[in-house]
Amino acid sequence: AIGTSDGRESPPRSDSRAREMDDAALEKALLLAVSQGDVESDAFASANGADHKKVVGLLKSLESSELVRSAARDHSALKLAAEAEAYLAQGTPEAQAFAAVPPGAGVPLADFKKLDKTISDIGFKQAMQQKWLAMEKGEVPMVVRKADAVEDTARKYLAAINAGDVASVPPKELDALVKKRKLVKQETWKTFTIGKGAKFALERKKAAADLTKEMLQDGSWRDAEFKQYNLVPGAGAPPNGGCVHPLLKVRQQFREIFLQMGFAEMPTNNFVESGFWNFDTLIQPQMHPARDAHDTFFMKTPAVANRAPEDYVQRVRAMHESGGSGSIGHQYSWKRSEADKNILRTHTTAVSARCLHKLAQDGFRPAKFFSIDRVFRNEAVDRTHLAEFHQVEGVICDVGLTLGDLIGVLYQFFARLGMTQLRFKPAFNPYTEPSMEIFAYHPMLKKWVEVGNSGMFRPEMLIPMGLPEDVNVIAWGLSLERPTMIMYGIDNIRDLFGSKMQMSSVKNNPVCRLGMIEQRETVKATE
């Protein structure tokens, strides 16, 4: 307590009050230093005996008032972990393990294991890797030396790093110390160069929040600085808005292209399909490799379900076993249990099969369908493959369609994607004949690339549905991810779809320009 002039004691000054005074003094010292030129935050903190974080906090406060400005500088350095500092004095675990084993006969493994775990476990493994020690099996397992003398190089490198001589450590050894053994860590920090701001002054004036009675009485309001009121519409913080994922942008453009070409969208809400709709209705034999567990995800609960009309199921069965309409089928015993298995659909062609069957039952009429949705394959995940991806599919059903009609439609479709030069290569698909792989000269990649697959659905697939024999169906498909990756310059599919996708890339990706070509280019490409 401090005595007053009348003999009474005044209350003690609180620590918070002392801190406030210290902050005020530090602020005054910083502004005075900045008035004489640019200041380094770390040097200022050291010279004034202040914590650097406290100086940075003061800097941000002064920046908000535009009294100062700052430029950040990044720093990094290698530092020893706590256990590595102990190794400097005692030696690394492998050196201690070597020293614990006497020359000659060695030491029984049971006795060696009684040592500190750092030596008997970590040190022993490292010493064995470097061929300093070995274990000899026998009636009594022994730990023996395999070298007469060793050099504790890891300790030498740790000492060099601690002394700041990182350049003397071989890159391979340094990488092992940092990443594998984690004895060295990279520390990063920031410092700031502080200069005068737009409203620099040697003292910060606190802006008044309200006009008070006292200000009006003494006239101090004339020179006072007031805080601004946020009364103007739109002057507040900008509202956050949602951002569209690149895949959804490209998906929407594909959808617009199909709609402009007169296609109707198929319902694709069945992620789970029965093997019947996914494979059997497409005349894909039940012994086909694609139906194995290493290619397809099978459901555990419910494991089976098949709501297809029974008469249709029997017609598909007959086509598999003995064929019809000129086909001999696959000549095997078709199993209902295999067809009833529930799976995650492996392609959207299962959706096309459902729609074509419904079209036949409702009374045939020429139709054009498309679908864009997710499919699932039991594939190893790498930079170009995921276990789930999106498939784009177009289907046209009419009387007398030919391969020439398919090629013409493909020219129209891909011209709207900006690819006017196409090539076709014969291929095999279980449910289309003839089948073609589609190649296009990509204007962004400046080379020929495979862009899709196509073909005409086999009569063995269409006749059991009830479609007239003179009706043909042409179809083509491609992935959604590949054109998206090409358009946005992404070379790893995991950076486009999944947990590794950066939110910043969702917010900042440009508009999708697919389909934004003039109609005359499409007509010219078709001609």
Side-chain angles (χ1 to χ4, degrees), residues 226-464:
F226 293 92
K227 290 183 178 179
Q228 292 185 351
Y229 283 93
N230 183 15
L231 300 177
V232 181
N240 290 324
C243 301
V244 181
H245 192 284
L247 267 177
L248 294 181
K249 287 185 177 181
V250 177
R251 183 188 188 282
Q252 182 59 28
Q253 288 306 119
F254 270 103
R255 187 172 182 273
E256 293 292 335
I257 290 172
F258 275 114
L259 293 175
Q260 290 168 11
M261 294 177 66
F263 283 71
E265 189 165 11
M266 294 183 279
T268 57
N269 54 336
N270 280 18
F271 281 4
V272 176
E273 283 282 10
S274 66
F276 177 80
W277 286 109
N278 197 85
F279 296 120
D280 293 277
T281 189
L282 305 181
I283 312 301
Q284 196 161 336
Q286 293 184 341
M287 73 288 290
H288 195 280
R291 303 182 71 153
D292 293 340
H294 65 268
D295 283 329
T296 303
F297 290 109
F298 288 85
M299 299 291 293
K300 286 186 177 180
T301 306
V304 295
N306 188 356
R307 297 184 176 87
E310 188 59 31
D311 59 337
Y312 177 46
V313 173
Q314 293 306 318
R315 290 197 298 271
V316 170
R317 176 180 193 148
M319 188 62 75
H320 275 260
E321 292 183 343
S322 57
S325 300
S327 171
I328 64 171
H330 292 299
Q331 300 293 310
Y332 73 101
S333 179
W334 185 86
K335 296 179 181 179
R336 180 64 182 263
S337 59
E338 190 71 25
D340 289 350
K341 290 180 180 178
N342 279 336
I343 64 170
L344 292 180
R345 67 179 178 213
T346 61
H347 47 200
T348 53
T349 313
V351 179
S352 302
R354 284 180 177 272
C355 287
L356 290 173
H357 176 260
K358 186 176 187 303
L359 181 66
Q361 302 310 303
D362 293 346
F364 170 73
R365 57 176 177 78
K368 295 193 285 188
F369 299 120
F370 80 95
S371 63
I372 309 171
D373 212 336
R374 197 172 301 184
V375 296
F376 307 86
R377 305 268 177 90
N378 192 3
E379 294 183 345
V381 176
D382 57 30
R383 58 189 298 273
T384 57
H385 296 86
L386 289 177
E388 55 180 302
F389 58 95
H390 294 77
Q391 183 174 326
V392 181
E393 185 164 338
V395 176
I396 301 178
C397 178
D398 203 350
V399 175
L401 290 177
T402 65
L403 195 64
D405 295 306
L406 174 59
I407 292 174
V409 171
L410 291 176
Y411 269 106
Q412 284 190 333
F413 177 77
F414 283 99
R416 293 172 183 265
L417 303 180
M419 293 175 277
T420 57
Q421 301 179 62
L422 299 183
R423 289 175 179 171
F424 304 97
K425 175 184 174 182
F428 169 77
N429 291 318
Y431 44 87
T432 59
E433 179 62 34
S435 307
M436 301 184 302
E437 291 176 351
I438 311 165
F439 294 82
Y441 184 81
H442 203 289
M444 293 178 66
L445 299 178
K446 307 297 183 186
K447 64 179 182 179
W448 289 89
V449 295
E450 184 180 354
V451 292
N453 213 324
S454 65
M456 301 183 66
F457 283 149
R458 298 173 67 97
E460 295 97 319
M461 170 184 167
L462 303 179
I463 291 174

Side-chain angles (χ1 to χ4, degrees), residues 78 157 161 166 169-184:
L78 293 174
Y157 294 145
I161 294 170
V166 180
V169 183
K172 184 177 180 181
E173 301 296 333
L174 180 62
D175 190 65
L177 292 173
V178 175
K179 295 181 179 179
K180 188 175 180 181
R181 302 191 66 177
K182 302 189 185 305
L183 296 177
V184 180

